[in-house]
Amino acid sequence: MRHIISVLMENEAGALSRVAGLFSARNFNIESLTVAPTQDPTLSRMTIVTTGNDSVIEQITKQLNKLIDVVKLVDLTDSSYLERELMLVKLYAVGEVRDEVMRLVDIYRCKILDVSPTTLVVEVTGASKKLDSFLSILKKDAVIEVVRSGATGVARGEKALTV
Amino acid sequence: MELSGAEIVIQALKDEGIEHVFGYPGGAVLHIYDALFKQEAVRHILVRHEQGATHAADGYARSTGKPGVALVTSGPGATNAVTGIATAYLDSIPLVVISGQVSTPVIGSDAFQEVDMVGITRPCVKHNFLVKDVYELADTIKKAFYVATTGRPGPVVVDIPKDITDPNIRIPYKYPEQVSMRSYRPESKGHRGQIKKAVDLMLKAKRPMIYTGGGVVLGHASEQLTRFTRLLNYPITNTLMGLGSYPADDKQFLGMLGMHGTYEANMGMHKCDVLIAIGARFDDRVTGKIATFCPHAKIIHVDVDPASISKTVKVDIPIVGQVKPVLETMIELLEQDKSRSNQDDLKEWWAQIEEWRSMNCLEFDRNSSKIKPQYVIEQLHEVTAGNAFVTSDVGQHQMWAAQYYKFNKPGRWINSGGLGTMGFGLPAAIGVSIANPDAQVACVTGEASILMCIQELATAMQYSTPVKVINLNNRYMGMVRQWQEFSYGSRYSHSYMEALPDFIQLAESFGHIGVRIEKPEDVRPALEEAFAQTQRTVFMDFITDDSENVYPMIEAGKGHHEMRLPPGMTTKRELA
């Protein structure tokens, strides 16, 4: 099953490699990983998307907690949460394809960020599934580049991951 | 007080109460070595290879319960230390390893003797630090000791670039009295509700087993464990790492369990209905085939590390906490309510265990004209009255030492259980001897393992550590040979030790006493004579039976009930 784990960690050099190293050393899956500082500059927040059965996810959270730099973590998928990922797609878009893309942009509520006579850069945000769906509808030979940020997320309501 | 970075390192060690540092100098740590030279409180032990420094610090830590400290230079000094760091990591030993690093301006430039020590050791340390500012040095060292010694202990590396220790830059020094880290709060006494549940379950057991590991030794809870076990009158088995935490000569003790555990311990595990696991981590050498591990048992697991719980074996009652306070609570609850509903069940269980025990699975041929390695260990036990510190390397000799030296005290059996590091024994014994100068220290080894850190014989000479080397010389990497005999059609691929040195001359060339023992009747007198040499290292080269194997054995992929017994020994009736 897919899990989204949010981790608050000390904003120190090497913290990211401790997490990345843990996943490879212990043979855990990692679908995406994003990290950036929070409102408190001494803390970074990392969002990890991973897959595994219950016992694997239990080990992942325990092993992450065991890292000295990890302050706190939560498995967002344990309760209701919001998920957002950002994707930039550069498309080769002329003639009919251009019209088709413009319609999709409307349906998926995307933004067009850049236009040239032959290309478009589209920004799509949403849950990772929505991004997958947008990509699956595009003509494959029209896609030049896909850039995804990896998923981030936050719990709904008053529940929060803070120190 | 104004100090340079180099002086801060030494002063911080003093303030931490560190008396001994095991190390080897080199370019990046020269400032530190100069500071070391100018004082006497911290004594430096010069090893002959950085692997030896970490193993010696490790042996020092295991035998005292205090953190061990190693000091190595950058690059090759640092990489040589890695095997010892990984050894300590797998056995949860508190070490602080200070490594030199190239100066901060040249980090990342492939400078001379530069290696990314923090990167290299990341997967085999509890934590590590690169000190980038001399103002952070004292705090970092304090944190290193705090992290290494609390919770589940482990090695911590502090990598210090040379410019941080510059003798010309002096700053105000104050060693922090305490340390608080929001991301690391290891103290835990265990959840009382969970402990109550566990006690209820264990009192209902018909066929209970207590299985304990190195956590009891590390948690200084041997006394509590002994009291707890006697209160319950349940059988107890120790892992390789847990030996000594319960007196081996007690009738409730079934010996070691696992791959080379006793018949009674392994059968007890297989048939028990409640398993009480304390400070043990269900290592694969203990469990055998997971699918048939304790098939009838509800499992209680006490461990300070939550990640150890339900890692390989799913448990029914997890208790996260330090072994000592958890055992104290258990004892308190047991003393409040001494009622056990079914004493008769326990009698039946003990009768079954006694029947298993009566097989005497550790018996060996006592009439052989060749020296049996088991006999050497038995004699070692007698000659030292069971009081010696025994270190070992890795292989058959290690298992024989574990099986035949009956450890009655914790912290006396010192071996690399998790990583299985050949070369550990001799430097570890030197570390033990430095920490316990008046104690008897034996290094049980084999002719293959001993050569991996043989250079430390020079360290033993320099510091007059009277280590007794018990070399069980069977001319083979014995455990490799045994597996090849059992599983590879006796094709002894590269396990024969050709071109062995003359160990007597070798020991003598280092300035020690060397003795070769070739007959069983000479074993005891040789040991007695060796231990009478209280000031000297004696290297005893026992020429042992090269065909001897370690029994019982659970081969790969087999369960506890599928032990391979010594030739000629068969199982008797088993409990239905």
Side-chain angles (χ1 to χ4, degrees), chain B residues 218-513:
Chain B
L218 292 162
H220 309 290
S222 172
E223 212 185 295
Q224 286 76 6
L225 175 70
T226 306
R227 187 159 165 64
F228 168 80
T229 305
R230 287 189 176 146
L231 261 177
L232 286 166
N233 188 32
Y234 288 177
I236 178 170
T237 176
N238 287 166
T239 67
L240 178 70
M241 299 311 296
L243 293 174
S245 55
Y246 189 85
D249 57 11
D250 190 88
K251 66 174 183 7
Q252 282 173 252
F253 186 64
L254 307 190
M256 182 171 76
L257 83 162
M259 184 171 271
H260 294 295
T262 64
Y263 187 71
E264 52 271 31
N266 285 338
M267 289 306 291
M269 291 293 284
H270 190 69
K271 297 285 186 184
C272 73
D273 67 347
V274 172
L275 180 68
I276 306 160
I278 303 169
R281 62 185 178 90
F282 297 84
D283 175 80
D284 56 281
R285 285 314 196 245
V286 158
T287 60
K289 184 178 169 188
I290 292 280
T292 60
F293 176 77
C294 294
H296 315 290
K298 291 258 185 224
I299 303 176
I300 298 160
H301 187 190
V302 183
D303 205 291
V304 73
D305 177 7
S308 275
I309 293 175
S310 293
K311 184 168 74 175
T312 54
V313 172
K314 193 95 191 132
V315 305
D316 300 285
I317 303 183
I319 300 167
V320 177
Q322 288 164 319
V323 167
K324 194 175 188 168
V326 170
L327 275 172
E328 278 166 352
T329 309
M330 284 180 172
I331 291 168
E332 177 202 321
L333 293 171
L334 284 171
E335 283 178 336
Q336 277 169 18
D337 174 19
K338 283 189 178 158
S339 61
R340 229 201 86 90
S341 49
N342 35 21
Q343 286 295 339
D344 289 345
D345 290 329
L346 207 54
K347 268 184 209 154
E348 203 177 305
W349 179 228
W350 269 114
Q352 171 62 72
I353 287 166
E354 290 309 336
E355 195 180 318
W356 289 328
R357 179 143 54 187
S358 69
M359 283 190 38
N360 213 358
C361 68
L362 295 181
E363 199 42 63
F364 58 91
D365 178 9
R366 290 170 187 279
N367 302 316
S368 172
S369 59
K370 295 176 181 170
I371 296 178
K372 289 289 181 181
Q374 300 96 322
Y375 177 71
V376 179
I377 305 295
E378 268 189 2
Q379 291 303 308
L380 172 66
H381 181 258
E382 280 185 25
V383 168
T384 57
N387 281 323
F389 286 91
V390 179
T391 73
S392 89
D393 278 301
V394 170
Q396 287 185 319
H397 68 266
Q398 176 189 28
M399 293 300 118
W400 285 317
Q403 290 175 328
Y404 295 89
Y405 197 100
K406 306 293 181 195
F407 292 94
N408 283 330
K409 292 176 194 159
R412 297 288 164 125
W413 166 233
I414 289 164
N415 81 125
S416 167
L419 194 68
T421 309
M422 291 169 74
F424 175 81
L426 178 60
I430 293 168
V432 171
S433 188
I434 294 285
N436 308 272
D438 301 324
Q440 292 180 327
V441 183
C443 165
V444 175
T445 183
E447 81 294 333
S449 282
I450 192 69
L451 286 176
M452 286 212 184
C453 273
I454 194 75
Q455 74 286 346
E456 300 308 331
L457 282 177
T459 311
M461 190 63 208
Q462 183 172 345
Y463 299 96
S464 303
T465 52
V467 171
K468 306 296 177 273
V469 179
I470 316 287
N471 190 36
L472 300 177
N473 185 346
N474 60 0
R475 284 78 65 207
Y476 277 101
M477 292 161 214
M479 193 57 93
V480 173
R481 192 205 56 76
Q482 177 168 342
W483 281 55
Q484 288 171 336
E485 179 186 331
F486 290 176
S487 308
Y488 297 90
S490 297
R491 289 182 299 281
Y492 299 130
S493 179
H494 301 272
S495 55
Y496 184 68
M497 295 297 286
E498 285 189 51
L500 280 170
D502 179 329
F503 285 106
I504 311 311
Q505 284 184 35
L506 180 80
E508 284 170 354
S509 75
F510 278 99
H512 303 305
I513 301 167

Side-chain angles (χ1 to χ4, degrees), chain A residues 10 13-14 17-18 26 40 42-43 58-59 62-63 66-71, chain B residues 89 122 126-128 132 147 152 181-184 305-307 309-311 314:
Chain A
E10 297 291 352
S17 56
R18 287 184 207 280
R26 294 199 180 261
D40 174 351
T42 66
L43 285 173
E58 185 183 331
Q59 263 301 303
K62 283 174 167 178
Q63 293 292 346
K66 209 171 141 178
L67 292 176
I68 304 292
D69 284 338
V70 169
V71 182
Chain B
Y89 181 65
R122 194 176 294 123
K126 186 169 172 189
H127 198 54
N128 57 21
K132 285 181 169 167
V147 171
R152 180 179 182 173
M181 295 164 76
R182 63 181 170 185
S183 61
Y184 178 68
D305 177 7
I309 293 175
S310 293
K311 184 168 74 175
K314 193 95 191 132

Side-chain angles (χ1 to χ4, degrees), chain B residues 39-233:
Chain B
Q39 55 84 52
E40 281 178 354
V42 179
R43 188 172 169 228
H44 179 267
I45 309 297
L46 176 69
V47 294
R48 297 307 190 268
H49 184 288
E50 289 86 350
Q51 182 182 348
T54 42
H55 290 330
D58 184 323
Y60 185 95
R62 293 187 205 223
S63 67
T64 58
K66 294 192 283 188
V69 180
L71 172 58
V72 300
T73 192
S74 66
T79 56
N80 280 346
V82 170
T83 299
I85 294 169
T87 303
Y89 181 65
L90 266 280
D91 290 343
S92 307
I93 306 303
L95 283 195
V96 171
V97 178
I98 297 169
S99 54
Q101 183 54 275
V102 299
S103 288
T104 42
V106 295
I107 287 181
S109 70
D110 301 324
F112 177 65
Q113 292 194 329
E114 177 181 3
V115 75
D116 174 13
M117 184 58 169
V118 165
I120 282 180
T121 57
R122 194 176 294 123
C124 61
V125 291
K126 186 169 172 189
H127 198 54
N128 57 21
F129 299 93
L130 171 64
V131 183
K132 285 181 169 167
D133 182 348
V134 65
Y135 283 90
E136 285 171 6
L137 188 51
D139 268 11
T140 305
I141 293 174
K142 179 77 195 176
K143 273 186 193 168
F145 280 100
Y146 173 61
V147 171
T149 53
T150 52
R152 180 179 182 173
V156 175
V157 166
V158 183
D159 200 31
I160 309 178
K162 190 170 185 181
D163 53 328
I164 301 296
T165 59
D166 186 340
N168 300 312
I169 300 170
R170 306 178 74 80
I171 63 160
Y173 168 84
K174 191 174 178 295
Y175 197 60
E177 270 168 33
Q178 50 192 7
V179 55
S180 145
M181 295 164 76
R182 63 181 170 185
S183 61
Y184 178 68
R185 298 220 169 87
E187 306 309 320
S188 160
K189 288 184 172 9
H191 188 276
R192 202 174 166 93
Q194 286 291 93
I195 298 175
K196 263 195 173 142
K197 260 171 52 185
V199 169
D200 287 347
L201 176 64
M202 65 181 81
L203 284 176
K204 283 187 202 124
K206 294 181 174 175
R207 300 186 307 277
M209 262 306 265
I210 302 171
Y211 140 64
T212 76
V216 177
V217 180
L218 292 162
H220 309 290
S222 172
E223 212 185 295
Q224 286 76 6
L225 175 70
T226 306
R227 187 159 165 64
F228 168 80
T229 305
R230 287 189 176 146
L231 261 177
L232 286 166
N233 188 32

